[in-house]
Coordinates of all heavy atoms in Angstrom, one line a residue:
M1 N -20.6 92.7 -15.6 CA -20.3 91.5 -14.8 C -20.8 91.8 -13.4 O -20.8 92.9 -12.9 CB -18.8 91.2 -14.8 CG -18.3 90.8 -16.1 SD -16.7 90.0 -15.7 CE -16.6 89.1 -17.2
T2 N -21.2 90.7 -12.8 CA -21.7 90.8 -11.4 C -20.6 90.1 -10.5 O -19.8 89.3 -10.9 CB -23.0 90.0 -11.2 OG1 -22.8 88.6 -11.5 CG2 -24.1 90.6 -12.1
A3 N -20.6 90.5 -9.2 CA -19.7 90.0 -8.3 C -20.1 88.5 -8.0 O -21.3 88.1 -8.0 CB -19.8 90.8 -7.0
S4 N -19.1 87.7 -7.9 CA -19.4 86.2 -7.6 C -19.9 86.0 -6.2 O -19.5 86.8 -5.3 CB -18.1 85.4 -7.9 OG -17.1 85.8 -6.9
H5 N -20.7 85.1 -6.1 CA -21.3 84.7 -4.7 C -20.2 84.0 -3.9 O -19.3 83.4 -4.5 CB -22.5 83.9 -4.9 CG -23.6 84.6 -5.5 ND1 -23.7 84.8 -6.9 CD2 -24.7 85.2 -5.0 CE1 -24.8 85.5 -7.2 NE2 -25.4 85.7 -6.0
V6 N -20.4 84.0 -2.7 CA -19.5 83.2 -1.8 C -19.5 81.8 -2.1 O -18.6 81.0 -1.9 CB -19.8 83.5 -0.3 CG1 -19.0 82.7 0.7 CG2 -19.7 85.0 0.0
T7 N -20.7 81.3 -2.5 CA -20.8 79.8 -2.8 C -20.3 79.4 -4.1 O -20.1 78.2 -4.4 CB -22.3 79.4 -2.8 OG1 -23.0 80.2 -3.7 CG2 -22.9 79.6 -1.4
D8 N -19.9 80.4 -5.0 CA -19.3 80.0 -6.3 C -17.9 79.5 -6.1 O -17.1 80.0 -5.3 CB -19.2 81.2 -7.2 CG -20.6 81.7 -7.7 OD1 -21.5 80.9 -7.5 OD2 -20.7 82.8 -8.2
R9 N -17.6 78.4 -6.8 CA -16.3 77.7 -6.6 C -15.8 77.4 -8.0 O -16.5 77.1 -8.9 CB -16.4 76.4 -5.8 CG -17.0 76.6 -4.4 CD -17.3 75.3 -3.8 NE -16.1 74.8 -3.2 CZ -16.0 73.6 -2.6 NH1 -17.1 72.8 -2.6 NH2 -14.9 73.1 -2.1
P10 N -14.4 77.4 -8.2 CA -13.9 76.9 -9.4 C -14.3 75.5 -9.7 O -14.5 74.7 -8.8 CB -12.4 77.0 -9.2 CG -12.2 78.0 -8.1 CD -13.4 77.9 -7.3
F11 N -14.4 75.1 -11.0 CA -14.9 73.8 -11.3 C -14.1 72.7 -10.7 O -14.7 71.7 -10.2 CB -14.9 73.6 -12.9 CG -15.3 72.2 -13.3 CD1 -16.7 71.9 -13.2 CD2 -14.4 71.3 -13.6 CE1 -17.1 70.6 -13.6 CE2 -14.8 70.0 -14.0 CZ -16.2 69.7 -14.0
G12 N -12.8 72.8 -10.6 CA -12.0 71.7 -10.0 C -12.3 71.5 -8.5 O -12.2 70.4 -8.0
L13 N -12.8 72.6 -7.8 CA -13.1 72.4 -6.4 C -14.5 71.9 -6.2 O -14.8 71.5 -5.1 CB -12.9 73.8 -5.7 CG -11.5 74.3 -5.6 CD1 -11.5 75.6 -4.9 CD2 -10.6 73.3 -4.8
T14 N -15.3 71.8 -7.2 CA -16.7 71.3 -7.0 C -16.6 69.8 -6.7 O -17.6 69.3 -6.1 CB -17.6 71.6 -8.2 OG1 -17.0 70.9 -9.4 CG2 -17.7 73.1 -8.5
K15 N -15.6 69.1 -7.1 CA -15.5 67.7 -6.9 C -14.5 67.4 -5.8 O -14.2 66.2 -5.5 CB -15.0 67.0 -8.2 CG -15.9 67.2 -9.4 CD -17.3 66.7 -9.2 CE -18.1 67.0 -10.4 NZ -19.5 66.7 -10.2
A16 N -14.0 68.4 -5.1 CA -13.0 68.1 -4.0 C -13.7 67.5 -2.8 O -14.9 67.7 -2.5 CB -12.4 69.5 -3.6
V17 N -12.9 66.7 -2.1 CA -13.4 66.0 -0.9 C -12.6 66.5 0.2 O -11.4 66.9 0.1 CB -13.3 64.5 -1.0 CG1 -14.2 64.0 -2.1 CG2 -11.9 64.0 -1.3
P18 N -13.1 66.4 1.5 CA -12.3 66.9 2.6 C -11.1 66.0 2.8 O -11.0 64.8 2.5 CB -13.3 66.6 3.8 CG -14.6 66.5 3.2 CD -14.4 66.0 1.8
V19 N -10.0 66.6 3.2 CA -8.8 66.0 3.5 C -8.9 65.1 4.8 O -9.3 65.6 5.8 CB -7.6 67.0 3.6 CG1 -6.3 66.3 3.9 CG2 -7.5 67.8 2.3
R20 N -8.5 63.9 4.6 CA -8.5 63.0 5.8 C -7.2 63.2 6.6 O -6.2 63.3 5.9 CB -8.7 61.5 5.4 CG -10.1 61.3 4.9 CD -10.3 59.8 4.6 NE -9.6 59.5 3.3 CZ -9.1 58.4 2.9 NH1 -9.3 57.3 3.7 NH2 -8.5 58.2 1.8
P21 N -7.2 63.1 7.9 CA -6.0 63.2 8.6 C -5.1 62.0 8.3 O -5.5 60.9 8.0 CB -6.4 63.2 10.1 CG -7.8 62.6 10.1 CD -8.4 62.9 8.7
D22 N -3.8 62.3 8.3 CA -2.8 61.2 8.1 C -3.0 60.1 9.1 O -3.0 60.3 10.3 CB -1.4 61.7 8.1 CG -1.0 62.6 6.9 OD1 -1.7 62.4 5.9 OD2 -0.1 63.3 7.0
V23 N -3.0 58.9 8.6 CA -3.0 57.7 9.5 C -1.7 57.0 9.3 O -1.3 56.7 8.1 CB -4.2 56.8 9.1 CG1 -4.2 55.5 9.9 CG2 -5.5 57.5 9.2
D24 N -1.0 56.7 10.4 CA 0.2 56.0 10.3 C 0.0 54.6 9.9 O -0.5 53.8 10.7 CB 1.0 56.1 11.6 CG 2.4 55.7 11.5 OD1 2.9 55.5 10.4 OD2 3.1 55.5 12.6
A25 N 0.3 54.2 8.6 CA 0.1 52.9 8.1 C 1.1 51.9 8.6 O 0.9 50.7 8.5 CB 0.0 52.9 6.6
Y26 N 2.3 52.4 9.0 CA 3.4 51.5 9.4 C 3.5 51.5 11.0 O 3.3 52.5 11.6 CB 4.7 52.0 8.8 CG 4.6 51.9 7.3 CD1 4.5 53.1 6.6 CD2 4.6 50.7 6.6 CE1 4.4 53.1 5.2 CE2 4.5 50.7 5.2 CZ 4.4 51.8 4.5 OH 4.4 51.8 3.2
P27 N 3.9 50.4 11.5 CA 4.1 50.4 13.0 C 5.4 51.2 13.3 O 6.2 51.5 12.5 CB 4.4 48.9 13.3 CG 4.8 48.3 12.0 CD 4.2 49.1 10.9
A28 N 5.4 51.6 14.6 CA 6.6 52.3 15.1 C 7.8 51.3 15.0 O 7.7 50.2 15.4 CB 6.3 52.8 16.5
L29 N 8.9 51.9 14.6 CA 10.1 51.0 14.4 C 11.3 51.5 15.3 O 11.4 52.7 15.6 CB 10.6 51.1 13.0 CG 9.6 50.6 11.9 CD1 10.1 50.8 10.5 CD2 9.2 49.1 12.2
N30 N 12.1 50.6 15.6 CA 13.4 50.8 16.3 C 14.5 50.1 15.6 O 14.2 49.1 14.9 CB 13.4 50.3 17.8 CG 12.7 51.3 18.7 OD1 12.6 52.5 18.4 ND2 12.3 50.8 19.8
L31 N 15.7 50.5 15.7 CA 16.9 49.8 15.1 C 17.4 48.9 16.2 O 17.7 49.3 17.3 CB 17.9 50.8 14.7 CG 19.2 50.2 14.2 CD1 18.9 49.4 12.9 CD2 20.3 51.2 14.0
C32 N 17.5 47.6 15.8 CA 18.2 46.6 16.7 C 19.7 46.7 16.5 O 20.2 46.4 15.4 CB 17.7 45.2 16.4 SG 18.5 44.0 17.4
P33 N 20.5 47.2 17.5 CA 21.9 47.4 17.3 C 22.7 46.1 17.1 O 23.7 46.1 16.4 CB 22.4 48.2 18.5 CG 21.3 47.9 19.5 CD 20.0 47.6 18.8
E34 N 22.2 45.0 17.6 CA 22.9 43.7 17.5 C 22.7 43.2 16.1 O 23.6 42.7 15.5 CB 22.4 42.7 18.5 CG 22.7 43.2 20.0 CD 21.9 42.3 21.0 OE1 21.2 41.3 20.6 OE2 22.1 42.6 22.2
R35 N 21.4 43.2 15.6 CA 21.1 42.6 14.3 C 21.2 43.6 13.2 O 21.2 43.2 12.0 CB 19.7 42.0 14.3 CG 19.6 40.8 15.3 CD 18.3 40.1 15.3 NE 17.3 41.0 16.0 CZ 16.0 40.7 16.0 NH1 15.5 39.7 15.4 NH2 15.2 41.5 16.7
Q36 N 21.3 44.9 13.5 CA 21.3 46.0 12.5 C 20.2 45.9 11.5 O 20.3 46.0 10.3 CB 22.7 45.9 11.7 CG 23.9 46.2 12.5 CD 23.9 47.7 13.0 OE1 23.8 48.6 12.2 NE2 24.0 47.9 14.3
I37 N 19.0 45.7 12.1 CA 17.8 45.7 11.2 C 16.7 46.5 12.0 O 16.8 46.7 13.2 CB 17.2 44.3 10.9 CG1 17.0 43.5 12.2 CG2 18.2 43.5 10.0 CD1 16.3 42.2 12.0
S38 N 15.6 46.9 11.3 CA 14.5 47.6 11.9 C 13.6 46.6 12.5 O 13.3 45.6 11.8 CB 13.8 48.4 10.9 OG 14.6 49.5 10.4
V39 N 13.2 46.8 13.7 CA 12.2 45.9 14.4 C 11.0 46.7 14.9 O 11.1 47.9 15.1 CB 12.9 45.2 15.6 CG1 14.0 44.2 15.1 CG2 13.4 46.1 16.6
T40 N 9.9 46.1 15.0 CA 8.7 46.8 15.5 C 8.8 47.0 17.0 O 9.4 46.2 17.7 CB 7.4 46.0 15.2 OG1 7.6 44.7 15.8 CG2 7.2 45.8 13.7
V41 N 8.3 48.2 17.4 CA 8.4 48.6 18.8 C 7.6 47.6 19.7 O 8.0 47.3 20.8 CB 8.0 50.0 19.0 CG1 7.9 50.4 20.5 CG2 9.0 51.0 18.3
D42 N 6.4 47.3 19.2 CA 5.5 46.5 20.0 C 6.0 45.1 20.4 O 6.0 44.7 21.6 CB 4.1 46.3 19.3 CG 3.4 47.6 19.1 OD1 3.7 48.6 19.9 OD2 2.7 47.7 18.2
D43 N 6.5 44.4 19.5 CA 6.9 43.0 19.8 C 8.4 42.6 19.4 O 8.8 41.5 19.5 CB 6.0 42.0 19.1 CG 5.8 42.2 17.6 OD1 6.6 43.0 17.0 OD2 5.0 41.6 17.0
G44 N 9.1 43.6 18.8 CA 10.5 43.3 18.5 C 10.7 42.4 17.3 O 11.8 42.0 17.0
Q45 N 9.7 42.2 16.5 CA 9.8 41.4 15.3 C 10.5 42.2 14.2 O 10.3 43.4 14.0 CB 8.4 40.9 14.8 CG 7.8 39.9 15.8 CD 8.5 38.6 15.9 OE1 9.0 38.1 14.9 NE2 8.7 38.2 17.1
P46 N 11.3 41.5 13.3 CA 11.9 42.2 12.2 C 10.8 42.8 11.3 O 9.8 42.1 11.0 CB 12.6 41.1 11.4 CG 12.9 40.1 12.5 CD 11.7 40.1 13.4
F47 N 10.9 44.0 10.9 CA 9.9 44.7 10.1 C 9.7 44.1 8.7 O 8.6 44.2 8.2 CB 10.2 46.2 10.0 CG 9.2 47.0 9.2 CD1 7.9 47.1 9.7 CD2 9.5 47.6 8.1 CE1 7.0 47.8 9.1 CE2 8.6 48.4 7.4 CZ 7.3 48.5 7.9
I48 N 10.7 43.5 8.2 CA 10.6 43.0 6.9 C 9.6 41.8 6.8 O 9.0 41.5 5.8 CB 12.0 42.5 6.4 CG1 12.0 42.2 4.9 CG2 12.5 41.3 7.2 CD1 11.9 43.4 4.0
H49 N 9.3 41.2 8.0 CA 8.4 40.1 8.0 C 6.9 40.6 8.3 O 6.0 39.8 8.3 CB 8.8 39.1 9.1 CG 10.0 38.4 8.7 ND1 10.2 37.6 7.7 CD2 11.2 38.4 9.3 CE1 11.4 37.1 7.6 NE2 12.1 37.6 8.6
A50 N 6.8 41.9 8.5 CA 5.4 42.4 8.8 C 4.6 42.3 7.5 O 5.1 42.5 6.4 CB 5.5 43.9 9.2
P51 N 3.3 41.9 7.6 CA 2.4 41.7 6.5 C 2.3 43.0 5.6 O 2.0 42.9 4.5 CB 1.1 41.3 7.1 CG 1.4 40.9 8.4 CD 2.6 41.6 8.9
S52 N 2.5 44.2 6.2 CA 2.3 45.4 5.5 C 3.3 45.6 4.4 O 3.2 46.4 3.5 CB 2.4 46.6 6.4 OG 3.6 46.7 7.0
M53 N 4.4 44.8 4.4 CA 5.4 44.9 3.3 C 5.0 44.2 2.0 O 5.6 44.4 1.0 CB 6.8 44.3 3.9 CG 7.3 45.1 5.0 SD 7.8 46.8 4.6 CE 9.2 46.5 3.5
A54 N 4.1 43.3 2.1 CA 3.7 42.6 0.9 C 2.9 43.5 -0.1 O 2.3 44.4 0.4 CB 2.9 41.4 1.2
S55 N 3.0 43.2 -1.3 CA 2.2 43.9 -2.3 C 1.6 43.0 -3.4 O 2.2 42.0 -3.7 CB 3.1 45.0 -3.0 OG 4.1 44.4 -3.7
K56 N 0.5 43.4 -3.9 CA -0.2 42.6 -5.0 C -0.6 43.7 -6.0 O -1.4 44.5 -5.7 CB -1.4 41.9 -4.5 CG -1.0 40.8 -3.5 CD -2.3 40.1 -3.0 CE -1.9 39.0 -2.0 NZ -3.1 38.3 -1.5
L57 N 0.1 43.6 -7.1 CA -0.2 44.6 -8.2 C -0.6 43.9 -9.4 O -0.1 42.8 -9.8 CB 1.1 45.4 -8.5 CG 1.7 46.1 -7.3 CD1 3.0 46.8 -7.8 CD2 0.8 47.2 -6.8
T58 N -1.6 44.5 -10.1 CA -2.0 44.0 -11.4 C -1.9 45.2 -12.4 O -2.5 46.3 -12.1 CB -3.5 43.5 -11.4 OG1 -3.6 42.5 -10.4 CG2 -3.9 43.0 -12.8
T59 N -1.2 45.0 -13.4 CA -1.0 46.1 -14.4 C -1.6 45.6 -15.7 O -1.4 44.5 -16.2 CB 0.5 46.3 -14.7 OG1 1.1 46.6 -13.4 CG2 0.8 47.4 -15.6
T60 N -2.4 46.5 -16.3 CA -3.1 46.2 -17.6 C -2.6 47.3 -18.6 O -2.7 48.5 -18.2 CB -4.6 46.2 -17.4 OG1 -4.9 45.2 -16.5 CG2 -5.3 45.9 -18.8
A61 N -2.2 46.9 -19.7 CA -1.8 47.9 -20.8 C -2.6 47.6 -22.0 O -2.7 46.4 -22.4 CB -0.3 47.7 -21.0
Q62 N -3.0 48.6 -22.6 CA -3.8 48.5 -23.9 C -3.1 49.3 -25.0 O -2.6 50.4 -24.8 CB -5.2 49.0 -23.8 CG -6.1 48.2 -22.9 CD -7.5 48.8 -22.8 OE1 -7.7 49.9 -23.2 NE2 -8.4 48.0 -22.4
T63 N -2.9 48.6 -26.1 CA -2.3 49.3 -27.3 C -3.2 49.1 -28.5 O -3.8 48.0 -28.7 CB -1.0 48.6 -27.6 OG1 -0.1 48.6 -26.5 CG2 -0.3 49.3 -28.8
R64 N -3.5 50.2 -29.2 CA -4.4 50.2 -30.3 C -3.5 50.6 -31.5 O -2.9 51.6 -31.6 CB -5.5 51.2 -30.2 CG -6.5 51.1 -31.4 CD -7.7 52.0 -31.2 NE -8.5 51.6 -30.1 CZ -9.5 50.7 -30.1 NH1 -9.7 50.0 -31.2 NH2 -10.2 50.5 -29.0
E65 N -3.5 49.7 -32.5 CA -2.7 49.9 -33.7 C -3.5 49.3 -34.9 O -3.9 48.1 -34.8 CB -1.3 49.3 -33.6 CG -0.4 49.6 -34.8 CD 1.0 49.1 -34.5 OE1 1.5 49.1 -33.4 OE2 1.6 48.8 -35.5
D66 N -3.6 50.0 -35.9 CA -4.3 49.5 -37.1 C -5.7 49.0 -36.8 O -6.2 48.0 -37.2 CB -3.6 48.4 -37.9 CG -2.2 48.9 -38.4 OD1 -2.2 50.1 -38.7 OD2 -1.3 48.1 -38.5
S67 N -6.4 49.8 -35.9 CA -7.8 49.5 -35.5 C -7.9 48.2 -34.8 O -9.0 47.6 -34.8 CB -8.8 49.5 -36.7 OG -8.8 50.8 -37.3
Q68 N -6.8 47.7 -34.2 CA -6.9 46.4 -33.5 C -6.4 46.7 -32.0 O -5.4 47.5 -31.8 CB -6.0 45.4 -34.1 CG -6.5 45.0 -35.5 CD -6.2 43.6 -35.8 OE1 -5.7 42.8 -35.1 NE2 -6.7 43.2 -37.0
L69 N -7.1 46.2 -31.1 CA -6.8 46.4 -29.7 C -6.0 45.2 -29.1 O -6.4 44.1 -29.2 CB -8.0 46.7 -28.9 CG -7.9 46.9 -27.4 CD1 -7.1 48.3 -27.2 CD2 -9.2 47.0 -26.7
D70 N -4.9 45.5 -28.5 CA -4.1 44.5 -27.8 C -4.0 44.8 -26.3 O -3.7 46.0 -26.0 CB -2.6 44.5 -28.4 CG -1.8 43.4 -27.7 OD1 -2.3 42.3 -27.4 OD2 -0.6 43.7 -27.4
E71 N -4.4 43.9 -25.5 CA -4.4 44.1 -24.1 C -3.5 43.1 -23.4 O -3.6 41.9 -23.6 CB -5.8 44.0 -23.5 CG -5.9 44.3 -22.1 CD -7.4 44.4 -21.6 OE1 -8.1 45.2 -22.1 OE2 -7.7 43.5 -20.8
E72 N -2.6 43.6 -22.5 CA -1.7 42.7 -21.7 C -2.0 42.9 -20.2 O -2.2 44.1 -19.8 CB -0.3 43.1 -22.0 CG 0.2 43.0 -23.4 CD 1.6 43.5 -23.6 OE1 2.3 43.7 -22.6 OE2 2.0 43.8 -24.8
T73 N -2.0 41.9 -19.5 CA -2.2 41.9 -18.0 C -1.1 41.2 -17.4 O -0.7 40.1 -17.7 CB -3.5 41.3 -17.6 OG1 -4.6 42.0 -18.3 CG2 -3.8 41.4 -16.1
E74 N -0.5 41.8 -16.4 CA 0.6 41.2 -15.6 C 0.4 41.3 -14.1 O 0.0 42.4 -13.6 CB 1.9 42.0 -16.0 CG 3.2 41.3 -15.3 CD 4.4 42.0 -15.8 OE1 4.5 42.5 -16.9 OE2 5.3 42.1 -14.9
K75 N 0.5 40.2 -13.4 CA 0.3 40.2 -12.0 C 1.7 40.1 -11.3 O 2.5 39.3 -11.7 CB -0.6 39.1 -11.6 CG -2.0 39.3 -12.1 CD -2.9 38.2 -11.7 CE -4.3 38.4 -12.3 NZ -5.3 37.5 -11.9
D76 N 1.9 40.9 -10.3 CA 3.1 40.9 -9.5 C 2.8 40.8 -8.0 O 2.1 41.6 -7.5 CB 3.9 42.2 -9.7 CG 5.2 42.2 -9.0 OD1 5.7 41.1 -8.6 OD2 5.8 43.3 -8.7
T77 N 3.2 39.7 -7.4 CA 2.9 39.5 -6.0 C 4.2 39.2 -5.3 O 5.1 38.5 -5.7 CB 2.0 38.2 -5.8 OG1 0.9 38.4 -6.6 CG2 1.6 38.0 -4.4
D78 N 4.4 40.0 -4.2 CA 5.6 39.8 -3.3 C 5.4 38.7 -2.3 O 4.3 38.5 -1.8 CB 6.0 41.0 -2.6 CG 6.5 42.1 -3.5 OD1 6.9 41.7 -4.6 OD2 6.6 43.2 -3.1

């Protein structure tokens, strides 16, 4: 056997990508003591109304039984 080269990498690492630094996806929050809710630091708006709270999900499920394919799609929007 020969010694591995410095450029040799395990197969799983050949497809690895550089790690991106964490980006804060949520605004900075404070607790409003009067209303007892989280509000954004910038404008004092309730965080629950921020657009980042909405989600749009589509789920597709496939089932194969007796050589027949059944596909179900469900959409969930907040």
Side-chain angles (χ1 to χ4, degrees):
M1 291 199 161
T2 61
S4 63
H5 293 79
V6 176
T7 58
D8 290 345
R9 302 170 81 184
F11 177 75
L13 291 179
T14 60
K15 303 298 180 192
V17 295
V19 176
R20 291 184 282 156
D22 287 339
V23 176
D24 192 12
Y26 299 106
L29 301 176
N30 278 339
L31 176 67
C32 176
E34 295 170 3
R35 297 183 282 176
Q36 293 293 305
I37 58 172
S38 294
V39 294
T40 57
V41 172
D42 296 334
D43 55 8
Q45 293 296 316
F47 182 62
I48 193 72
H49 294 296
S52 63
M53 295 296 290
S55 65
K56 295 179 182 178
L57 304 173
T58 302
T59 305
T60 303
Q62 291 183 341
T63 305
R64 182 177 298 275
E65 187 173 325
D66 296 332
S67 298
Q68 299 213 358
L69 181 65
D70 180 39
E71 187 172 294
E72 300 175 17
T73 302
E74 184 176 329
K75 295 183 180 182
D76 182 22
T77 305
D78 288 343

